[in-house]
Amino acid sequence: MFFRLLRLILILALVVSAPLSFEAAAQGVGQAPAGLVADQQKIIQGLTTKADNFEKQIQQDGEDDSNLVDIRLQLEELSRQSLTSALAFRTRLGEINSRLEQLGPAPAAGQPAEPDIVSGERQALTSEKAEINAVISQAQALSIRISGLIDKIGNMRSALFRNLLTKRYVLSDALSPQVFSDAREEFGNFYKAVSSWLSFAFRFKFQAILAATFVALGLALVLLVGGRRLFGRVFEADPTNEDPSYLTRLSVAFWSTLLPTLAVGAFLGSTIFFFNYYNVLRGDIGLFLNALAMVVGVVFCVNRLTNAALSPRLPNWRLIPVETGPARWLVRLATAMAVVISFNTFLSVINDKMGSPLSLTIARSFVATIVVGIILILMAMLRPFKARDGSWRPWPAWLRYLSLSLGLFTIIAALLGYIGLALFVSLQVVVTGTALITAYIGFLSAQAIGEEGAFTNTSVGRWLSANSSYEDTALDQLGLVVSIAINVMIVLVFLPLILLMWGFQPGDIEAWAYKLATGINIGSVTISVTGIVSGIVVFVIGYFLTRWFQGWLDGSVMARGKVDTGVRNSIRLAVGYAGVALAALVGISAAGIDLSSLALVAGALSLGIGFGLQNVVSNFVSGLILLAERPFKVGDWIVAGQVSGTVKRISVRATEIETFQRQSVILPNSDLINGPVGNWTHRNKLGRIEIPVGVAYGSDARRVHDLLLDIARNHPLVLKNPEPFVLFAALADSSLNFEIRVFLADVSNGVIVQNDIRFAILDAFRLANIEIPFPQRDVHVKSGTTAAKWPADDDKAEAEFVERELARAKAAELPQKARRKSRRPDPA
């Protein structure tokens, strides 16, 4: 009665509280999201205002490529913000849809009316969903508009680039005498600007200049000296080495170009950085100094590359087998071409900043392109090779004609007034050509280092071999890693440089890098390099943690606990498989791959298992059963069919057995599960061996029994308990058969014990005059017409000879057998 009353009270309480909870839910539904909708509407309005301003800037700065790139980057950020605003409602929309499904549709006409609370909640949820959809539509429309502006910027930049290359200038005005007076006036203005800045800097910023210069110089020295310490002979050529290998020459050419160039670049870049940090530079001087740093860097890089590849002072270190004189001329011409192009770029910055006349700009570019074209023609006309007869030979035809074509093209384009096109080609020949040649040498060096055994012969490999425990195999694998690292470094360094030389802005590279890092959409699949790399890193860390834990568990825990070797092997394998599987799952999750999307792959895999992977899965499951049940373990002596040997390793697919002939036999686990397997050392190593012995008729059987039993008992490896036993096995045709049965503590010593006992039997039987007989056979030779006919050839003569010899041997043995039989007592 009491429990019924209590139940009734609880039911009434639930009925009373239900409307209150519905009302609270309805109020929450109507009030909670109001702030979210209002906030996102304000954000989208602000983004729309920014998009309007950027659209105006596009119209104003349509002739400036760098400004267009900056605007595009900001528009892409706006697009991401608008999508973020749309995604802010994802959780709330899910809740609303879930609740509407719970409430169900409104009752149709003629059906009973639903409570007002339910209808009110449905109406509130529907109106809220409509408001959210309206805000999401605004965000999507803004994103589409921003995408249109980004496409417009791309089209404008393409038009600017085409206009730069195809615009034709009138050379008559540009090459008039007025150009010289304009140049003199321009130089005077530049001198005044630089001198005024120098007087200000040395008067008020002298200490800051010294500090910035010394810090930048220290950074460059650290990089240069550290590179020399790290790479040693790989950094510079050894004059004492008269016959360096191709790999050594490649490495020296690549690193002696890259490291000093990086050191110079670090010095120039850090100097400008610290000058800006200490407010030493003003706007125009900062532009001039940046351009000057670019000039110095390009000229230095070209000079280092040509000297490293041609090596005028060390002929044995040349990558190209040219003569010494032409090598010197090639270095000079390449450096001169780099100086002309770089100096022209520096002057273009000055002209743009100081507002020089167009005629001066055209004249400067015209002279630079003509000089570059002449240098290219001179390079093509060089005869750098010497034949055996002493005559000079030119470049290969394709290279000579390419250089001539480029030189003539730049000169003709400049003479026709296409100064922009000629200057672009000249710049690409110098800068892009230098970058491509350096990168190509780097790729060749990486490929040579990746060859089998090549890394061991390098200075770094020899140092590691002498100062570490790495074997040749490990060093060879390390060479592959170094080869891959060099290739990746070359791509990361030279690809952005080449893109910059071809008219792309740093903002373009930044945008591509951001897309590559955050994800590239291919259909419904998103590929993220950052996610993939992070997933690989997580898996590698998990893999090595698993291996470390395996070693610690096996060597520290189970070894101290005196755990059986087979148990240790099973536990170690189970921990290894579990750890690698867990690391793989965590790595996949870290890579951003939805594990639920692997259901399709699992279905395809199951279909493949049904068609062709039955044996693989059977072996896998059998391996798990073997590891769990442990019918045999590592170190056991087993017999499986025709295979007998020691178990060396048990994996999930197959078991490795080493026979007593030291042959490794790999048996599938399913064969070991489905077939009979004998294990000599399953529980322990205790086992019995048998040694059969036969004696001649007439021997004293009991004396033989006592002798054999005494021999078995006296062997040190035979156990006393169970006691040795001698069995009188049979009265055979030619002998009295006995069998010695002994137990050993370690049955693997059975061969040794059998060998010792057999020698002891021979010695004892010799002393006791006990004979061990051999099988007797009666041979009847038939003659006459019943003999089989042989073909008249050489085989017949050979067969007849063998038959005669056998008959003669048997006839000689008959008297000896008669004499032996006369000595024997009658068995009856």
Side-chain angles (χ1 to χ4, degrees):
M1 187 68 181
F2 174 75
F3 290 103
R4 291 182 180 177
L5 181 60
L6 182 60
R7 189 190 312 169
L8 182 59
I9 294 174
L10 290 175
I11 292 173
L12 291 175
L14 290 174
V15 172
V16 172
S17 62
L20 296 177
S21 62
F22 279 127
E23 292 177 1
Q27 292 176 0
V29 169
Q31 296 176 1
L36 179 62
V37 172
D39 293 340
Q40 296 303 322
Q41 284 179 342
K42 292 180 181 179
I43 292 174
I44 292 175
Q45 290 176 359
L47 295 178
T48 304
T49 303
K50 291 181 180 180
D52 296 337
N53 295 331
F54 285 136
E55 189 172 5
K56 295 178 181 178
Q57 292 181 15
I58 291 173
Q59 300 298 331
Q60 297 174 358
D61 301 333
E63 300 296 327
D64 193 337
D65 186 70
S66 60
N67 288 340
L68 290 176
V69 173
D70 293 337
I71 295 173
R72 195 194 70 178
L73 290 176
Q74 298 180 41
L75 286 174
E76 289 178 351
E77 180 63 25
L78 286 183
S79 178
R80 288 191 288 269
Q81 292 178 4
S82 64
L83 292 178
T84 302
S85 298
L87 294 176
F89 297 102
R90 176 183 295 177
T91 303
R92 184 56 189 164
L93 278 176
E95 295 175 355
I96 292 174
N97 293 328
S98 177
R99 184 57 183 162
L100 287 175
E101 290 179 359
Q102 293 177 0
L103 295 176
Q111 293 183 352
E114 62 182 358
D116 295 338
I117 296 176
V118 176
S119 59
E121 183 180 359
R122 183 186 294 106
Q123 184 178 0
L125 291 173
T126 304
S127 60
E128 180 186 349
K129 184 177 180 180
E131 293 178 359
I132 292 176
N133 289 332
V135 177
I136 292 176
S137 298
Q138 294 177 4
Q140 292 176 347
L142 179 61
S143 178
I144 294 173
R145 179 190 175 192
I146 293 174
S147 298
L149 293 176
I150 292 174
D151 294 337
K152 182 179 179 180
I153 289 176
N155 296 330
M156 294 175 66
R157 293 186 62 206
S158 300
L160 287 175
F161 186 71
R162 289 193 302 269
N163 184 46
L164 175 66
L165 297 183
T166 58
K167 188 175 181 179
R168 187 176 181 181
Y169 297 92
V170 179
L171 297 180
S172 58
D173 298 335
L175 300 179
S176 62
Q178 182 65 29
V179 174
F180 295 98
S181 60
D182 293 339
R184 193 180 328 58
E185 182 180 357
E186 190 75 15
F187 177 77
N189 295 332
F190 175 72
Y191 177 78
K192 290 179 182 179
V194 174
S195 60
S196 64
W197 173 77
L198 287 175
S199 62
F200 164 78
F202 280 100
R203 181 178 300 177
F204 300 103
K205 298 288 185 178
F206 182 72
Q207 294 180 352
I209 291 175
L210 286 180
T213 304
F214 279 115
V215 171
L217 186 61
L219 291 176
L221 289 176
V222 167
L223 183 60
L224 191 62
V225 175
R228 289 180 181 272
R229 292 282 186 181
L230 181 61
F231 294 97
R233 293 184 179 180
V234 181
F235 183 82
E236 57 186 3
D238 185 9
T240 61
N241 191 352
E242 296 181 357
D243 189 19
S245 63
Y246 181 67
L247 171 61
T248 305
R249 285 181 287 160
L250 279 175
S251 300
V252 168
F254 178 67
W255 294 110
S256 62
T257 300
L258 183 62
L259 289 179
T261 303
L262 289 178
V264 172
F267 170 72
L268 296 174
S270 54
T271 299
I272 296 174
F273 171 78
F274 286 114
F275 277 8
N276 287 321
Y277 181 79
Y278 290 113
N279 295 323
V280 176
L281 300 177
R282 67 189 189 199
D284 55 347
I285 301 299
L287 291 176
F288 299 157
L289 195 59
N290 286 326
L292 183 61
M294 184 65 67
V295 169
V296 174
V298 171
V299 173
F300 182 83
C301 180
V302 172
N303 184 263
R304 289 295 302 182
L305 176 62
T306 52
N307 275 286
L310 299 173
S311 188
R313 298 181 181 179
L314 298 174
N316 296 332
W317 287 85
R318 288 174 191 158
L319 292 177
I320 305 174
V322 298
E323 297 298 323
T324 301
R328 291 196 181 98
W329 274 107
L330 285 173
V331 172
R332 294 168 185 167
L333 291 175
T335 305
M337 188 163 50
V339 169
V340 171
I341 290 297
S342 302
F343 188 66
N344 178 71
T345 304
F346 177 68
L347 292 179
S348 67
V349 174
I350 296 176
N351 293 338
D352 292 340
K353 184 62 180 176
M354 305 192 72
S356 302
L358 180 61
S359 58
L360 184 60
T361 301
I362 297 174
R364 166 186 51 78
S365 301
F366 176 79
V367 173
T369 53
I370 293 294
V371 172
V372 170
I374 293 173
I375 292 175
L376 288 173
I377 294 175
L378 291 176
M379 285 183 174
M381 295 176 63
L382 277 176
R383 295 178 178 268
F385 307 107
K386 183 177 287 188
R388 293 181 179 180
D389 57 358
S391 61
W392 293 91
R393 294 187 296 108
W395 295 104
W398 68 270
L399 184 60
R400 183 170 71 254
Y401 291 143
L402 177 63
S403 181
L404 280 173
S405 301
L406 290 174
L408 292 174
F409 180 82
T410 53
I411 292 175
I412 293 173
L415 292 175
L416 292 177
Y418 295 100
I419 304 298
L421 178 60
L423 188 61
F424 179 79
V425 173
S426 303
L427 183 64
Q428 303 315 315
V429 168
V430 176
V431 181
T432 305
T434 302
L436 288 177
I437 293 173
T438 307
Y440 180 68
I441 293 175
F443 284 130
L444 290 179
S445 177
Q447 182 180 359
I449 290 175
E451 296 291 336
E452 184 176 0
F455 184 74
T456 309
N457 298 324
T458 62
S459 58
V460 178
R462 288 191 293 268
W463 182 86
L464 288 175
S465 179
N467 297 276
S468 66
S469 59
Y470 289 117
E471 298 180 353
D472 292 341
T473 303
L475 289 176
D476 189 56
Q477 294 175 351
L478 184 60
L480 290 176
V481 175
V482 172
S483 175
I484 295 173
I486 292 175
N487 288 325
V488 172
M489 183 195 68
I490 292 171
V491 172
L492 293 179
V493 171
F494 289 98
L495 182 60
L497 180 62
I498 294 174
L499 291 176
L500 290 175
M501 293 303 103
W502 280 83
F504 295 96
Q505 298 293 332
D508 296 324
I509 301 175
E510 180 184 349
W512 294 338
Y514 180 83
K515 290 181 179 179
L516 191 65
T518 55
I520 300 175
N521 294 324
I522 302 177
S524 60
V525 179
T526 301
I527 300 176
S528 173
V529 175
T530 304
I532 293 174
V533 172
S534 61
I536 293 174
V537 170
V538 169
F539 174 74
V540 170
I541 293 174
Y543 176 81
F544 282 106
L545 284 177
T546 300
R547 294 302 181 213
W548 170 82
F549 182 74
Q550 276 184 296
W552 173 80
L553 183 65
D554 185 36
S556 299
V557 177
M558 292 189 291
R560 292 183 181 180
K562 307 298 181 183
V563 181
D564 182 74
T565 305
V567 177
R568 289 169 55 182
N569 179 70
S570 299
I571 295 176
R572 184 173 64 251
L573 286 176
V575 170
Y577 288 125
V580 171
L582 181 61
L585 291 176
V586 176
I588 291 173
S589 299
I593 299 175
D594 188 6
L595 293 178
S596 61
S597 62
L598 298 179
L600 182 60
V601 178
L605 182 60
S606 62
L607 183 62
I609 290 173
F611 281 104
L613 300 179
Q614 299 97 331
N615 292 332
V616 175
V617 176
S618 175
N619 290 325
F620 179 79
V621 176
S622 300
L624 297 179
I625 294 174
L626 290 177
L627 292 174
E629 292 187 355
R630 298 180 60 249
F632 52 82
K633 56 187 180 296
V634 173
D636 282 358
W637 173 14
I638 67 172
V639 179
Q642 301 297 324
V643 180
S644 176
T646 305
V647 177
K648 288 298 181 182
R649 188 172 65 90
I650 304 174
S651 63
V652 293
R653 191 199 68 83
T655 298
E656 179 184 352
I657 299 174
E658 184 180 21
T659 65
F660 298 108
Q661 292 82 19
R662 298 301 185 214
Q663 180 189 26
S664 294
V665 179
I666 310 300
L667 284 179
N669 290 329
S670 59
D671 294 348
L672 298 173
I673 288 293
N674 299 325
V677 178
N679 190 347
W680 283 95
T681 56
H682 181 47
R683 304 296 180 189
N684 49 54
K685 295 185 178 182
L686 178 66
R688 192 188 78 178
I689 61 173
E690 295 83 18
I691 303 143
V693 181
V695 298
Y697 276 97
S699 302
D700 188 351
R702 294 190 179 276
R703 179 164 174 72
V704 172
H705 178 276
D706 294 338
L707 285 175
L708 295 178
L709 188 59
D710 186 60
I711 291 172
R713 287 174 177 173
N714 291 331
H715 196 283
L717 296 180
V718 174
L719 295 178
K720 307 303 180 186
N721 186 21
E723 186 179 2
F725 178 73
V726 177
L727 174 67
F728 190 174
L731 298 171
D733 295 338
S734 302
S735 63
L736 304 174
N737 291 344
F738 293 82
E739 187 176 274
I740 302 175
R741 298 178 180 180
V742 296
F743 287 87
L744 305 179
D746 188 353
V747 74
S748 60
N749 296 324
V751 176
I752 300 174
V753 174
Q754 288 174 339
N755 194 53
D756 294 342
I757 290 178
R758 288 191 179 106
F759 276 114
I761 289 172
L762 289 177
D763 295 338
F765 282 7
R766 188 183 306 111
L767 295 175
N769 292 324
I770 299 173
E771 184 180 359
I772 300 176
F774 54 85
Q776 299 178 12
R777 297 290 185 269
D778 293 333
V779 180
H780 301 279
V781 180
K782 297 182 178 181
S783 61
T785 58
T786 58
K789 294 183 179 181
W790 289 84
D793 55 11
D794 294 337
D795 292 339
K796 177 181 178 180
E798 182 179 355
E800 290 177 349
F801 174 77
V802 172
E803 288 182 357
R804 287 196 301 268
E805 291 296 321
L806 288 175
R808 187 180 304 167
K810 297 299 182 181
E813 290 176 358
L814 289 176
Q816 297 179 3
K817 293 181 180 179
R819 286 196 295 271
R820 291 197 201 101
K821 290 181 179 179
S822 64
R823 297 194 197 104
R824 297 176 184 173
D826 187 359

